[in-house]
């Protein structure tokens, strides 16, 4: 097993952490608008994620912060300084590339020393800091190897060391885990978190994998179509999606279209003439969507469910069984906990469904 | 278990000796031994043998290095080859850099015109270069009129260096451009992010990453120039190794050991340069492009910069295309001597060329056609045996065939003369070495590596699962190859044929050794004869222009075909 990133020890002093503020950032490739007025505030020392599907603009936004790609309009403030128009080599922004971008003609040591050499640091200081950076990622024994002689995980660590050794103001990670195999990915994301906490550096992590973003980031920004859809802590964004895109992109969701009706102070979400779901709290009347995770529905075998349907099929997911239930022409997903020896409900069975109180979210349209 | 193997008698097919491939492999091996290994071995053996006693000795090599003439020839060959690499680099580097770093419309111009020199044998252009750059050529006449100076572009070794570097610089351009294209943008961006930019970034990151490609191209140029016979011969520069070997054999005779000693030196240097090229590439597959990453970032140019780039590109292209321009002028000019341009223009030379040169043209079409056909057949067979069978030593067929690249044409010619002069033809009783068929075989052997690489590349694009699907549906091996493999390889095979044909049509160095009578001579030899006399130059140039056009068109269509096939295959692969 690889030696893990050095996670113990005191926080390393890297100077004051830098907050990032992005104001009305717009960017086009030719005539195609890729970023459409982005506003974001990322706190000093925060571990922040850009989460979105491919083509959402998340990588373009990250590259714009680093100074790559077409020149955007708007503001990117690193601390107090607007860096728009500043050359990449003058920004003091550290980026770890998806491909790692290690130079194959240089050894690990030479790769890591590069940024310090460009900053004309004294040889003695370079030697010391390179050693420290490699110790930090647990690769001090590999300093004289070439990148091609390292495994994918080790290359990733070298790329990290090469970036943090220059003590950048902010650390940008472009899908850093996508080229690793599944087990290593789980290990590495904890290592990344530990490293970020130890360095205390403002970090942005770009990913399309919600699990990665949820597990390690303080806050996430969900991007789609060049627009920030929602910003918040992972569990908040998951539980209170701002719109149906966010609801679908973070996890699986049933999204039902209908109307909110208020009668005698009680709110109800009406699907059609036969089905209505009581809502908690107060809502305005009108057209709305109702977002419900598969766990938010349960089978009302004892009677009294709000919805009636027929089992259309099921998938065995291990700890749960996911049922596809036909309800008035819609297909709803319902997860039921699986226990050893439990029977599966057969397709064609008539069932009643109950909405677990408090589990649904109403999105007004 | 027993029931199963009776029910499925074909299950054990793989373990049986398959006679078809084995016979084919032995046949190919026989060809390669007879026409490549034995002639070369013979040359090496004679070089180490005492001509009188027949004993093994190093005396011939001592004689070689004791002779001032040979030492000078040795030095000159090295000097010319090295300087040609330097000059070719001067031509190639700006062109490669401009196309890979800037959004520059002229890039298309470079990509098309930059490769034109390769389709003309250098010795054809040599005469035209004399008229343009010689002591009394157009350029020096103008320089004398305007500035009162002349520059000895074409004096002695200078002329060889100029002609060779103009001809071979595309090898560096192709390899260097490919290397630059294969550098992923993130390589550059990560350096920028760490604080590097401009020339420093180029020197520390871009240049080292492009180096293997450059060295591969440069060593190829070195070998080609070092081995070339036609250009120095036509420029009347005889104190170089290849001309010395030719002159020794053709004037002193095939028993003189010096020609063989020179051949061994040529082979050793070729192998050394190839070793340099291979070790430059080994373990340094710096091709770093990622999916969708694309090459180095290209920058837009300002108006002034664009103008500057065009100036550099057009100036270089003017130099590089000078042989073609000169040849065209020569073919259309009445008298061209001591003047900047020909005195008048005429199409007469073309009429003369076609009338007088028809036998040469006919011979070339036959020789190069048969040679290219042999190459494609052998190439396909070798590629298939190496990639798709389990014969022991199957890769060696490929290696041996490719080794022909390291054998200079002069050496192969000398080997054939020595080996086949004592073998009599059936019926006629004339020596086998004087038969026209031996020229065809020499051409086929020399150009086999080109066809083989085409065929291998084409075969690699045919996934084995396509074959397995055919066999699974009941088609036996031979029918599978005929109905599935060959149709899918077709474009690559045609490209292989055309490459072999086009390069064989202008081959001179082995041909010149093996042509026994003028009626058997091919075009390249005919051109050589025409260019020897002042009166023959016009028709010779016309013949040269015709050759360049034919070879150029053939190359263009071959490229076009391969590109089209590649696009279609990648399109169908992408639709999965």
């Amino acid at each position: 097993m690889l030696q893990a990133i050095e996670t113990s020890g005191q926080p390393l002093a890297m100077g004051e952490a830098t907050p990032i503020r992005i104001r009305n950032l717009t960017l086009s490739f030719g005539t195609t608008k890729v970023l459409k007025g982005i506003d974001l505030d990322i706190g000093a020392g925060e571990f922040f994620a850009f989460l979105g599907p491919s083509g959402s603009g998340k990588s373009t936004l990250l590259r714009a912060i680093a100074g790559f790609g077409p020149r955007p309009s708007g503001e990117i403030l690193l601390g107090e300084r607007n860096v728009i128009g500043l050359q990449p080599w003058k920004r003091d922004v550290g980026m770890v590339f998806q491909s790692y971008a290690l130079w194959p003609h240089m050894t690990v040591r030479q790769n890591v020393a590069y940024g310090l050499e460009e900053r004309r640091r004294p040889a003695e200081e370079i030697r010391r800091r390179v050693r420290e950076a490699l110790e930090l990622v647990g690769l001090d024994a590999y300093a004289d190897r070439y990148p091609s002689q390292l495994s994918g995980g080790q290359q990733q660590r070298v790329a990290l060391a090469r970036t943090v050794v220059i003590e950048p103001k902010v650390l940008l990670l472009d899908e850093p885990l996508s080229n690793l195999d599944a087990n290593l990915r789980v290990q590495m994301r904890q290592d990344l978190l530990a490293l970020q906490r130890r360095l205390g550096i403002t970090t942005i992590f770009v990913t399309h994998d919600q699990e990665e973003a949820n597990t390690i980031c303080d806050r996430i920004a969900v991007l789609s179509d060049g627009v920030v859809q929602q910003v918040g802590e992972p569990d908040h964004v998951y539980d209170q999606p701002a719109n149906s895109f966010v609801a679908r992109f973070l996890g699986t969701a049933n999204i039902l279209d209908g109307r909110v009706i208020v009668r005698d102070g009680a709110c109800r979400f009406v699907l059609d003439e036969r089905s209505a779901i009581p809502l908690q709290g107060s809502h305005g009347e009108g057209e709305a969507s109702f977002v419900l995770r598969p766990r938010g529905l349960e089978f009302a075998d004892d009677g009294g469910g709000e919805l009636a349907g027929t089992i259309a099929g099921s998938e065995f997911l291990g700890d749960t069984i996911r049922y596809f239930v036909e309800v008035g022409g819609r297909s709803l997903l319902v997860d039921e906990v699986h226990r050893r020896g439990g029977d599966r409900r057969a397709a064609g069975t008539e069932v009643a469904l109950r909405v677990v109180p408090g589990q649904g979210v109403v999105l007004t349209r | 278990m027993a029931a199963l193997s009776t029910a499925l008698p074909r299950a054990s097919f793989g373990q049986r000796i398959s006679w078809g491939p084995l016979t084919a492999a032995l046949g190919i091996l026989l060809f390669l031994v007879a026409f490549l290994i034995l002639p070369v071995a013979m040359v090496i053996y004679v070089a180490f043998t005492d001509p009188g006693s027949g004993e093994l000795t190093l005396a011939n090599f001592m004689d070689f290095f004791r002779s001032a003439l040979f030492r000078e020839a040795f030095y000159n060959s090295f000097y010319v080859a090295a300087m040609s690499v330097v000059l070719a680099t001067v031509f190639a580097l700006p062109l490669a850099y401009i196309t890979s770093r800037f959004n520059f419309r002229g890039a298309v111009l470079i990509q098309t015109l930059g490769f034109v020199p390769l389709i003309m044998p250098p010795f054809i252009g040599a005469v035209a270069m004399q008229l343009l750059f010689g002591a009394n050529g157009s350029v020096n006449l103008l320089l004398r009129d305007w500035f009162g100076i002349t520059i000895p572009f074409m004096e002695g070794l200078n002329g060889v260096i100029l002609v060779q570097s103009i001809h071979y610089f595309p090898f560096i351009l192709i390899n260097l451009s490919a290397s630059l294209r294969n550098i992923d943008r993130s390589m550059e961006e990560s350096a920028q992010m760490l604080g590097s930019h401009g020339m420093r970034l180029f020197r520390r990151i871009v240049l080292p990453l492009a180096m293997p490609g450059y060295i591969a191209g440069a060593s190829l140029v070195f070998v080609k120039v070092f081995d070339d016979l036609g250009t120095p011969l036509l420029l009347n520069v005889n104190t170089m190794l290849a001309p010395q070997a030719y002159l020794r054999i053709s004037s002193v005779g095939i028993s003189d050991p010096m020609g063989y000693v020179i051949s061994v030196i040529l082979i050793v240097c070729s192998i050394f340069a190839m070793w340099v090229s291979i070790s430059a590439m080994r373990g340094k597959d710096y091709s770093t492009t990622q999916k969708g990453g694309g090459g180095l970032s290209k920058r837009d140019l300002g108006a002034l910069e664009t103008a500057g780039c065009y100036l550099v590109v057009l100036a270089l292209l003017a130099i590089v295309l000078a042989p073609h321009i000169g040849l065209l002028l020569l073919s259309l000019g009445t008298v061209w001597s001591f003047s900047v341009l020909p005195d008048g223009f005429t199409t007469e030379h073309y009429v003369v060329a076609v009338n007088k040169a028809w036998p040469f043209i006919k011979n070339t079409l036959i020789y190069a056609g048969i040679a290219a056909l042999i190459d494609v057949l052998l190439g396909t067979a070798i590629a298939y045996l190496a990639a798709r069978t389990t014969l022991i030593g199957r890769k060696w067929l490929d290696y041996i065939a490719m080794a022909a690249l390291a054998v200079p044409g002069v050496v192969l010619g000398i080997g054939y003369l020595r080996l086949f002069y004592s073998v009599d033809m059936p019926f006629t009783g004339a020596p086998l070495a004087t038969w026209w068929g031996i020229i065809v075989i020499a051409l086929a052997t020399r150009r086999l590596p080109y066809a083989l690489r085409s065929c291998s590349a084409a075969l690699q694009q045919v996934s084995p699962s396509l074959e397995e699907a055919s066999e699974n549906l009941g088609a036996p091996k031979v029918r599978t190859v005929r109905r599935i493999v060959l149709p899918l390889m077709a474009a690559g095979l045609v490209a292989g044929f055309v490459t072999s044909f086009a390069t064989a049509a202008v081959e001179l160095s082995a041909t010149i050794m093996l042509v026994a009578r003028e009626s058997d001579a091919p075009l390249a030899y005919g051109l050589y004869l025409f260019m020897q006399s002042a009166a023959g130059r016009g028709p010779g140039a016309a013949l040269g222009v015709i050759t360049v056009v034919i070879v150029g068109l053939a190359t263009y269509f071959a490229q076009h075909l391969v590109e089209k096939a590649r696009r279609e295959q990648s399109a169908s692969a992408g639709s999965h």
Side-chain angles (χ1 to χ4, degrees):
Chain A
M1 188 59 207
L2 303 164
Q3 195 189 335
I5 282 183
E6 182 63 52
T7 51
S8 58
Q10 296 302 306
L12 297 179
M14 286 195 62
E16 291 275 290
T18 311
I20 305 171
R21 278 173 298 163
I22 297 170
R23 293 284 174 268
N24 194 24
L25 195 77
T26 303
L27 185 149
S28 305
F29 286 123
T31 54
T32 319
K33 266 199 174 179
V34 185
L35 300 177
K36 303 167 183 167
I38 305 272
D39 286 299
L40 272 177
D41 281 285
I42 300 167
E46 197 173 17
F47 200 151
F48 198 87
F50 293 166
L51 177 65
S54 57
S56 59
K58 58 187 190 303
S59 279
T60 308
L61 179 55
L62 193 78
R63 290 170 56 81
I65 296 172
F68 299 123
R71 182 182 169 135
S73 67
E75 286 183 350
I76 299 174
L77 294 153
L78 300 186
E80 294 305 310
R81 188 179 186 198
N82 183 6
V83 294
I84 299 266
L86 203 62
Q87 301 284 23
W89 50 91
K90 292 180 178 158
R91 290 195 181 196
D92 255 345
V93 164
M95 177 158 162
V96 174
F97 290 78
Q98 186 175 7
S99 61
Y100 315 142
L102 297 179
W103 300 301
H105 63 298
M106 295 182 183
T107 61
V108 167
R109 187 195 309 281
Q110 288 167 334
N111 264 284
V112 176
Y114 188 90
L116 296 173
E117 286 165 7
E118 287 302 319
R119 282 166 175 68
R120 307 288 197 279
R121 307 308 305 170
E124 179 49 41
E125 183 191 335
I126 293 178
R127 238 191 323 275
R128 177 176 56 78
R129 283 171 66 176
V130 167
R131 197 185 59 236
E132 285 170 2
L134 286 174
E135 277 169 6
L136 186 70
V137 296
L139 283 176
D140 35 333
Y142 296 84
D144 294 314
R145 298 229 189 153
Y146 283 91
S148 58
Q149 296 168 302
L150 301 180
S151 70
Q154 289 168 328
Q155 291 182 17
Q156 160 107 78
R157 285 151 196 269
V158 176
L160 263 172
R162 183 177 73 178
T163 308
V164 299
V165 77
I166 61 166
E167 298 180 357
K169 287 201 192 106
V170 295
L171 179 62
L172 308 179
L173 306 168
D174 188 5
E175 305 234 8
L177 305 179
S178 62
N179 286 337
L180 301 178
D181 61 43
N183 288 329
L184 198 53
R185 207 176 299 169
V186 172
Q187 157 84 38
M188 197 63 201
R189 68 189 187 205
Q190 285 310 316
D191 289 354
L192 271 178
L193 180 59
L195 182 77
Q196 194 269 343
R197 289 291 184 255
R198 205 173 157 211
L199 299 176
I201 181 174
T202 312
T203 301
I204 303 174
F205 182 102
V206 161
T207 181
H208 61 267
D209 184 336
Q210 43 147 334
E211 188 183 312
E212 276 177 22
N214 291 344
T215 44
I216 55 174
C217 294
D218 299 321
R219 287 195 305 150
I220 60 181
V222 182
L223 276 91
S224 168
D225 200 23
V227 173
V228 175
Q229 305 288 334
Q230 192 173 3
V231 182
E233 290 166 16
D235 46 357
H236 174 79
V237 176
Y238 186 86
D239 286 345
Q240 294 291 332
N243 55 42
S244 57
F245 172 81
V246 176
R248 278 205 195 85
F249 192 68
L250 274 95
T252 313
N254 296 303
I255 298 177
L256 307 170
D257 294 334
R259 289 181 62 79
V260 175
I261 292 174
V262 184
R263 288 280 179 280
D264 311 326
C267 298
R268 300 202 308 158
F269 185 80
V270 181
L271 273 173
D272 49 48
E273 311 86 79
R274 282 170 294 153
S275 325
I277 302 161
L279 299 173
Q280 299 190 322
S282 60
H283 300 272
E285 278 207 342
E287 298 277 314
S289 295
F290 192 64
V291 177
L292 201 53
R293 302 284 177 198
R295 285 283 186 100
L297 279 165
E298 58 185 19
F299 292 104
D301 294 336
D302 48 356
E306 295 101 356
L307 306 169
T310 314
I311 302 264
S314 61
E315 279 176 350
F316 178 61
L317 301 179
D319 46 0
T320 53
I321 297 173
R322 173 161 296 169
Y323 290 97
F324 303 90
V325 183
E326 287 288 327
V327 178
R330 301 176 191 82
S331 180
L332 297 189
L333 305 177
V334 183
D335 282 1
E336 188 172 45
V337 174
H338 170 70
R339 294 201 177 78
R340 249 176 76 116
D343 280 337
R344 264 210 246 186
R345 297 167 194 271
T349 313
E350 304 262 329
V351 289
L353 293 174
R354 178 190 305 130
V355 176
V356 182
Q359 291 303 301
V361 177
V362 175
L363 302 174
T364 46
R365 276 184 290 165
Chain B
M1 202 55 220
L4 200 87
S5 56
T6 8
L8 296 167
R10 278 175 166 245
S12 62
F13 186 78
Q15 274 97 55
R16 278 210 331 251
I17 297 171
S18 34
W19 290 104
L22 194 63
T23 323
L26 287 176
I28 293 165
L29 189 64
L30 199 67
F31 179 92
L32 291 173
V33 167
F35 298 115
L36 181 61
I37 297 177
L38 273 183
V40 174
M42 179 60 112
V43 168
I44 296 171
Y45 174 73
V46 174
F48 286 98
T49 319
D50 186 287
S53 65
E55 285 172 14
L56 288 179
T57 173
L58 284 175
N60 298 330
F61 284 85
M62 314 258 270
D63 289 347
F64 174 88
F65 283 106
R66 262 198 289 271
S67 150
L69 172 69
F70 288 143
R71 279 204 308 272
E72 193 193 339
F74 187 68
Y75 170 81
N76 284 348
S77 283
F78 249 103
Y79 172 77
V80 165
M83 288 309 289
S84 298
V85 169
V86 172
L87 197 55
T89 306
V90 171
F91 295 149
L93 192 64
L95 296 180
Y97 187 78
I98 289 172
T99 43
S100 59
R101 303 287 301 181
F102 304 125
N103 290 318
F104 177 59
R105 273 168 201 255
V108 187
L109 200 69
I110 297 171
Q111 268 148 22
T112 353
L113 294 182
F115 302 120
V116 169
L118 277 187
I119 62 170
M120 181 171 75
F123 64 87
I124 299 183
V127 172
M129 290 294 283
Q130 282 281 24
L131 291 165
L132 287 174
F133 291 97
N136 297 309
S138 316
V139 172
N140 271 325
L141 288 178
L142 290 175
L143 283 176
R144 197 176 301 156
D145 286 353
W146 294 346
F147 306 106
I149 55 161
T150 58
I151 300 173
F153 297 108
M154 296 297 292
E155 294 306 302
L157 300 180
N158 288 356
V160 185
I161 294 169
L162 186 61
V163 171
Q164 300 282 35
S165 49
I166 283 178
H167 180 67
Y168 286 117
F169 91 94
F171 284 132
I172 294 182
L173 181 61
I174 294 168
N175 283 292
L176 190 59
S177 302
S179 285
L180 286 170
R181 251 200 318 279
N182 284 337
I183 299 174
D184 191 75
R185 187 169 300 180
S186 66
M187 291 283 137
E188 194 186 16
E189 289 179 345
S190 50
Q192 289 179 339
M193 174 206 81
L194 293 172
S196 193
H197 65 101
M199 271 318 286
R200 232 177 119 68
L201 186 150
F202 182 76
R203 186 171 56 77
R204 293 198 64 188
I205 305 294
V206 178
L207 201 61
L209 289 174
M211 210 38 148
Y214 171 74
I215 292 177
S219 51
L220 201 56
V221 172
F222 187 92
V223 171
K224 290 281 185 185
V225 175
F226 197 79
D227 292 347
D228 188 39
L229 173 62
T231 307
L233 219 51
L234 249 162
L235 291 172
N236 212 14
V237 175
N238 293 329
T239 45
M240 289 178 63
L241 287 179
Q244 281 300 320
Y246 167 69
L247 292 173
R248 275 284 161 162
I249 298 293
S250 59
S251 57
V252 182
I254 58 168
S255 57
D256 177 66
M258 278 308 122
Y260 299 87
V261 170
I262 295 173
S263 294
V264 169
I265 291 172
L266 289 176
I267 294 175
V268 169
C269 290
S270 292
I271 291 175
F272 177 74
M274 285 191 163
W275 174 80
V276 169
S277 157
I278 290 168
S279 42
M281 299 299 278
R282 177 177 300 143
K284 298 206 175 109
D285 185 10
Y286 285 169
S287 164
T288 50
T289 36
Q290 306 286 323
K291 272 180 284 179
L296 294 168
S297 60
K298 291 189 179 180
R299 177 163 86 71
D300 285 324
L301 290 168
L304 211 65
E305 288 172 313
T306 308
C309 277
Y310 267 111
L311 203 69
V312 171
V313 167
L314 290 178
L316 282 175
L317 288 180
I319 297 174
V320 158
L321 297 178
H324 299 74
I325 298 162
L327 199 68
L328 194 64
L329 285 176
L330 187 58
S331 74
L332 292 169
T334 48
V335 179
W336 189 8
S337 178
F338 279 96
S339 61
V340 175
L341 287 174
D343 298 347
F345 290 95
T346 171
T347 53
E348 185 62 24
H349 296 319
Y350 283 87
V351 180
V352 177
V354 172
N355 285 337
K356 279 179 72 176
W358 175 244
F360 296 133
I361 297 176
K362 187 192 71 190
N363 284 343
T364 294
L365 292 177
I366 295 171
Y367 297 176
I370 300 176
L373 201 62
I374 294 174
D375 282 346
V376 169
L377 288 175
L378 288 181
T380 313
I382 294 172
Y384 195 85
L385 289 170
R388 300 288 163 88
T389 67
T390 51
L391 286 179
I392 297 161
R394 60 195 176 279
K395 296 277 182 210
W396 277 96
L397 286 177
D398 191 309
Y399 298 154
I400 296 171
M402 290 309 289
L405 275 183
V407 180
V410 196
V411 176
L412 201 68
I414 293 176
Y416 278 25
L417 280 181
R418 178 76 182 209
L419 194 63
F420 300 127
Y421 210 83
S422 48
V423 179
D424 287 344
M425 290 277 292
F427 310 119
T428 63
L432 184 58
T434 62
W435 178 49
W436 63 267
I438 213 74
I439 301 176
V440 175
I441 293 171
L443 293 176
T445 309
R446 289 209 71 198
R447 300 316 187 208
L448 180 56
Y450 300 165
L452 176 55
R453 286 281 66 88
S454 277
C455 297
S456 282
L459 184 62
Q460 265 165 18
Q461 290 179 349
V462 183
S463 152
S465 65
L466 296 177
E467 266 179 86
E468 286 162 4
S470 160
E471 286 171 33
N472 175 254
L473 292 173
K477 200 94 212 162
V478 176
R479 279 178 61 79
T480 298
V481 169
R482 194 166 60 75
R483 294 192 58 189
I484 307 295
V485 182
L486 285 181
L488 287 170
M489 284 175 70
L493 298 187
V494 172
F497 179 89
V498 175
T499 316
S500 278
F501 179 88
T503 51
V506 293
E507 206 275 357
L508 181 65
S509 45
T511 314
I512 201 172
M513 312 283 307
L514 293 171
V515 169
R517 60 194 78 80
E518 210 177 303
S519 61
D520 282 349
L523 192 56
Y525 190 81
L527 274 167
Y528 176 67
L529 291 184
F530 270 112
M531 291 301 189
Q532 298 288 34
S533 71
R537 280 180 172 181
L543 204 53
V545 171
I546 295 173
T547 313
V548 170
V549 169
I550 292 173
V551 172
L553 284 177
T555 313
Y556 172 78
F557 282 117
Q559 281 297 329
H560 184 71
L561 211 60
V562 171
E563 281 298 315
K564 193 167 154 234
R566 188 182 300 155
R567 269 201 305 275
E568 278 166 6
Q569 296 214 346
S570 63
S572 71
S575 66
H576 285 307

